[in-house]
Amino acid sequence: MATNAEKKKLYIKTWGCQMNVYDSHRMADILRPLGYEVAEEPDNADMVILNTCHIREKATDKVFSDLGRLRPIKDKSAKDGKKVLFAVAGCVAQAEGDFILERAPYVDMVFGPQTYHALPEMIIKATGERVVNTDFPVDSKFDKLPSEHDSQGVAAYLSIQEGCDKFCTFCVVPYTRGAEYSRTAQEIIEEAKAMVDNGTKEITLLGQNVNAFHGDGPDGSTWGLGKLIEAIHEIDGLERIRYSTSHPRDMDDELIEAHALPKVMPFLHLPVQSGSDKILEAMNRKHTSDHYREIIAKLRKARKDIVFSSDFIVAFPGETEADFEDTMQLVRDIDFASCYSFKYSARPGTPAANMQGLIHDKIATERLARLQALLNDQQKAFNENCIGMTLPVLLDRKGKRDGQLQGRSPFNQSVYVQANERLKDQIVDVKITHGFDKSLSGEIVTGETVLAAE
Ligand code: 5AD
Ligand code: SF4
């Protein structure tokens, strides 16, 4: 272990999905034994990592603008004879590694999501020469990661699969994250148990295409996500299970049935992207809008109180007003609890980038506004409908105001309560008093109220 004298400051900025957040935590875990401590601010850092996301617009521009902003830290330290390491990680690094090194010669390291287990070696090399590592190694990065969970809390992520073989025509993930790869069920179960021993109460199973999971089971058969959830559900002390992000095609019956298990939270993020079958086909989603409706109906049958969120892309090439109206109709039919929606933006190298029928930005903007108005109305109505309900909330962080704690309802809403700090990391019953656009607030009604009132 490093001694105090060797302590170094590590600044990591993370963009994008939960997988990137997870990766950043693991990079911090890997670098901790080398003496690196995570700092909230980049000033005086010894190493700066930009963990990037390539999924939507202007990702590369944002990286260069941040690099430019952070560069003075490096220059200033160089004058004092100290080398600050600059690294670009994640999907932009994977896709544009050489370009980054060319345009930002002061960057020492560029590495893709599959290679960060090699960070210690990369650091040693980078003190002498510049490093690019964007391979897709045959053996898994999971095998080489330390298994501590120092940076994981009461609500923690557990990565179970990576990559994607779906090749939706708009998406860079199959190119930046590589082919679908699942860990073994045994490894995951052991890791989940270790996390629970360390105080984790809620586990979110994570993967780019998490329900494509097909890991080797301890019985020699291949397990799907439903079976894995059943096994994890057995772990004493674990109270909540979630998973993200799923593809409709991989919602098999076993997984749908797993939603009846009490620890599985009644909330599912299930991206649909569009309600038009013509657009879904052009997107290579391999499902229709009715197929999506059927899956939702089955899930509602398995778990009465389940609610849904989704992702939408508007103005995909060729989207007519009628196609867009099909999306609006799907939204009206399903009634979502919360959603993300985006204007289509071409990602170089993806099939959709070469498609005809680009939609004018003015129309795209207007459609997005209409969709978001509907989605916001649904979210607000859902939140207001929770007023008067008593919901168990896992208070995993401080709230925005003094004396406030914040957590998630079973339906994944952020909930704010006035509460004694000792209630942090507990699941408490909260009577909801207010439903806002994006969150709820309420009062604690469990026995712990006594503590909160002290
Ligand atoms: N343009 C717009 N949105 C995109 N997404 C992925 N690629 C693109 C793109 N090229 C959205 C999808 C996906 C979410 C993570 O990002 O809706 O589900
Ligand atoms: Fe991208 Fe489609 Fe794979 Fe999701 S399922 S990561 S949108 S290719």
Side-chain angles (χ1 to χ4, degrees), residues 17 36 78 120 145 149 167 186 189 211 250-251 288 302-303 307 315 334 421 431:
C17 63
Y36 286 92
L145 293 176
H149 291 278
F167 289 94
Q186 195 60 38
I189 294 164
N211 59 344
D250 294 317
M251 288 308 303
T288 63
R303 179 71 181 246
V307 299
I334 306 284
E421 219 175 293
K431 181 149 191 197

Side-chain angles (χ1 to χ4, degrees), residues 11 175 193 254 277 282 344 362 380 413 448:
Y11 174 73
Y175 310 99
K193 282 186 181 151
E254 199 170 40
D277 290 345
Y344 168 73
K362 205 170 147 226
K380 188 150 194 257
Q413 298 142 299
E448 285 92 340

